[in-house]
Amino acid sequence: MKVAVVGATGLVGTVMLKVLEERNFPMTELIPVASEKSVGKKIMYKGKEFPIVSMETAIQLRPDIALFSAGGSTSLESAPKFAAVGTTVIDNSSAWRMDETKKLVVPEVNAKVLTKEDKIIANPNCSTIQMVVALQPLHEKYKIKRVVVSTYQSVTGTGVKAVDQLMNERKGIEGPKAYPYEIDLNVLPHIDVFQDNGYTKEEMKMIKETNKIMGDDHIKVTATTVRIPVMGGHSESVNVEFENDFDLSELRSILENAPGIIVVDDVANLKYPMPKDAHQRDEVFVGRLRRDESQPNTLNMWIVADNLRKGAATNAVQIAEYLVEKALV
Ligand code: 2RA
């Protein structure tokens, strides 16, 4: 399998390469792509050096798969050029997610929608991915009516500049700012830009992407997304109202046996999911399972995942693995 990684030197691109190597993805040739200023530099993969090439060169090499994490404008311009030469693109930007002609995929939830004809596949937003992995098995059993989610998102979701701002603030050093305010010892109820309806784009992504991935527009979703000064991953407090009642121990067992989920839920022994434990892992960690006693058929749960891995790189690689497994590429 000839694989291009577009955005190979970025935060997510670097993790994509790490995940491809860790999972021993069946690759015959790696084509790292980055901005013109990086062309010619070398990256290491499986102990070998690979030269970074330009987008044009990569397209001419006709890779089987191109994993993109290079921003929406780059994807809008270049993904169709790869698709035109037969490459299947899996794009981590938001460019194609709500395009009706493109699939938005979390393998544990809706990989079955993929066909040979899908040449540009959208990787969902990190905070959406971890939530739908936990929601899907419960929806299948109890039918979800409404979801209320509040997120606590790592600065790594913003990128290197945000990580540097946090670390500089911790050391009392002045430096470039990724956020309008200090992030250390603070929280920002503001991720991406505000819309006319008072929600941010991040919140609207969680609402719209959830319905598309789960294939059910009847599920009502509302979201508040918040940036917090942590590194390991995104955390989410999720309140789920079902059409039908549930037994909590049965519900816990469903999650324990669902793909991609690790249940950490033993508060008597102070066991619950935390970003420091999810960091560098590919699973979605679920805990604090308890009935919402304020209304019937309703559950509270706490969901944590590494936003750079399952929230981005690993989910994209898992889509690629599915395509190879089902001979769709
Ligand atoms: C964030 N989910 O956390 C967004 C994009 N990665 O900033």
Side-chain angles (χ1 to χ4, degrees), residues 125-127 153-154 156-158 191 202 205 227 234 307:
N125 189 41
C126 42
S127 46
Q153 300 183 218
S154 165
T156 57
T158 307
I191 297 178
E202 184 80 355
K205 285 175 185 175
R227 188 73 67 194
H234 291 349
N307 54 291

Short mmCIF file of all heavy atoms in Angstrom, two decimals, residues 125-127 153-154 156-158 191 202 205 227 234 307, ligand 1:
data_model
loop_
_atom_site.label_atom_id
_atom_site.label_comp_id
_atom_site.label_asym_id
_atom_site.label_seq_id
_atom_site.Cartn_x
_atom_site.Cartn_y
_atom_site.Cartn_z
N ASN A 125 -14.52 15.49 14.05
CA ASN A 125 -13.88 16.31 15.06
C ASN A 125 -13.55 15.45 16.29
O ASN A 125 -14.34 14.56 16.66
CB ASN A 125 -14.81 17.46 15.45
CG ASN A 125 -14.14 18.47 16.32
OD1 ASN A 125 -13.00 18.84 16.11
ND2 ASN A 125 -14.84 18.91 17.34
N CYS A 126 -12.41 15.71 16.92
CA CYS A 126 -11.94 14.87 18.02
C CYS A 126 -12.98 14.72 19.13
O CYS A 126 -13.26 13.61 19.60
CB CYS A 126 -10.63 15.40 18.59
SG CYS A 126 -10.58 17.17 18.77
N SER A 127 -13.60 15.84 19.52
CA SER A 127 -14.53 15.76 20.66
C SER A 127 -15.80 14.98 20.28
O SER A 127 -16.44 14.36 21.14
CB SER A 127 -14.90 17.16 21.14
OG SER A 127 -15.22 17.98 20.04
N GLN A 153 -11.41 20.42 27.11
CA GLN A 153 -10.53 20.04 26.02
C GLN A 153 -9.09 20.49 26.19
O GLN A 153 -8.80 21.63 26.57
CB GLN A 153 -11.10 20.52 24.68
CG GLN A 153 -12.47 19.92 24.40
CD GLN A 153 -13.09 20.27 23.07
OE1 GLN A 153 -14.29 20.47 22.98
NE2 GLN A 153 -12.29 20.34 22.00
N SER A 154 -8.19 19.56 25.86
CA SER A 154 -6.74 19.78 25.95
C SER A 154 -6.28 20.88 25.00
O SER A 154 -6.82 21.06 23.90
CB SER A 154 -6.02 18.48 25.59
OG SER A 154 -4.66 18.71 25.33
N THR A 156 -3.74 20.69 23.30
CA THR A 156 -3.15 20.06 22.10
C THR A 156 -4.14 20.10 20.94
O THR A 156 -3.75 19.99 19.78
CB THR A 156 -2.75 18.60 22.38
OG1 THR A 156 -3.90 17.88 22.83
CG2 THR A 156 -1.64 18.52 23.41
N GLY A 157 -5.43 20.26 21.26
CA GLY A 157 -6.43 20.38 20.18
C GLY A 157 -6.24 21.64 19.37
O GLY A 157 -6.65 21.69 18.20
N THR A 158 -5.64 22.65 19.97
CA THR A 158 -5.40 23.90 19.23
C THR A 158 -4.13 23.80 18.41
O THR A 158 -4.04 24.28 17.29
CB THR A 158 -5.27 25.08 20.22
OG1 THR A 158 -6.40 25.08 21.08
CG2 THR A 158 -5.17 26.41 19.48
N ILE A 191 -14.14 27.65 22.00
CA ILE A 191 -13.27 26.86 21.11
C ILE A 191 -13.75 27.08 19.68
O ILE A 191 -14.91 26.81 19.36
CB ILE A 191 -13.31 25.36 21.47
CG1 ILE A 191 -12.75 25.14 22.88
CG2 ILE A 191 -12.53 24.54 20.43
CD1 ILE A 191 -12.77 23.69 23.34
N GLU A 202 -17.09 24.81 17.28
CA GLU A 202 -16.79 23.51 17.90
C GLU A 202 -18.07 22.88 18.44
O GLU A 202 -18.31 21.67 18.27
CB GLU A 202 -15.79 23.70 19.04
CG GLU A 202 -15.33 22.41 19.71
CD GLU A 202 -14.26 21.67 18.93
OE1 GLU A 202 -13.91 22.09 17.82
OE2 GLU A 202 -13.78 20.64 19.44
N LYS A 205 -20.15 21.68 15.59
CA LYS A 205 -19.58 20.43 15.05
C LYS A 205 -20.09 19.23 15.85
O LYS A 205 -20.54 18.22 15.28
CB LYS A 205 -18.05 20.46 15.11
CG LYS A 205 -17.37 21.34 14.09
CD LYS A 205 -15.86 21.37 14.34
CE LYS A 205 -15.14 22.33 13.42
NZ LYS A 205 -13.69 22.44 13.75
N ARG A 227 -12.02 25.01 26.81
CA ARG A 227 -10.58 24.73 26.76
C ARG A 227 -10.02 24.78 28.17
O ARG A 227 -10.26 25.74 28.92
CB ARG A 227 -9.85 25.76 25.90
CG ARG A 227 -8.41 25.42 25.65
CD ARG A 227 -8.25 24.29 24.67
NE ARG A 227 -8.69 24.65 23.33
CZ ARG A 227 -8.92 23.79 22.35
NH1 ARG A 227 -8.76 22.51 22.54
NH2 ARG A 227 -9.31 24.19 21.17
N HIS A 234 -8.97 14.99 25.76
CA HIS A 234 -10.24 15.69 26.01
C HIS A 234 -11.10 14.87 26.98
O HIS A 234 -11.13 13.64 26.90
CB HIS A 234 -11.01 15.86 24.70
CG HIS A 234 -10.41 16.81 23.72
ND1 HIS A 234 -9.37 17.68 24.01
CD2 HIS A 234 -10.72 17.01 22.42
CE1 HIS A 234 -9.08 18.38 22.94
NE2 HIS A 234 -9.88 18.00 21.94
N ASN A 307 -7.04 13.12 22.31
CA ASN A 307 -7.64 13.79 21.14
C ASN A 307 -6.73 13.75 19.91
O ASN A 307 -7.20 13.89 18.78
CB ASN A 307 -7.97 15.25 21.47
CG ASN A 307 -6.76 16.00 22.00
OD1 ASN A 307 -6.29 15.73 23.10
ND2 ASN A 307 -6.24 16.94 21.24
C1 2RA B 1 -9.92 21.47 19.31
N1 2RA B 1 -11.50 19.86 18.40
O1 2RA B 1 -9.84 20.74 20.31
C2 2RA B 1 -10.71 21.03 18.09
C3 2RA B 1 -9.83 20.84 16.90
N2 2RA B 1 -8.84 19.87 17.11
O2 2RA B 1 -9.36 22.58 19.22
#
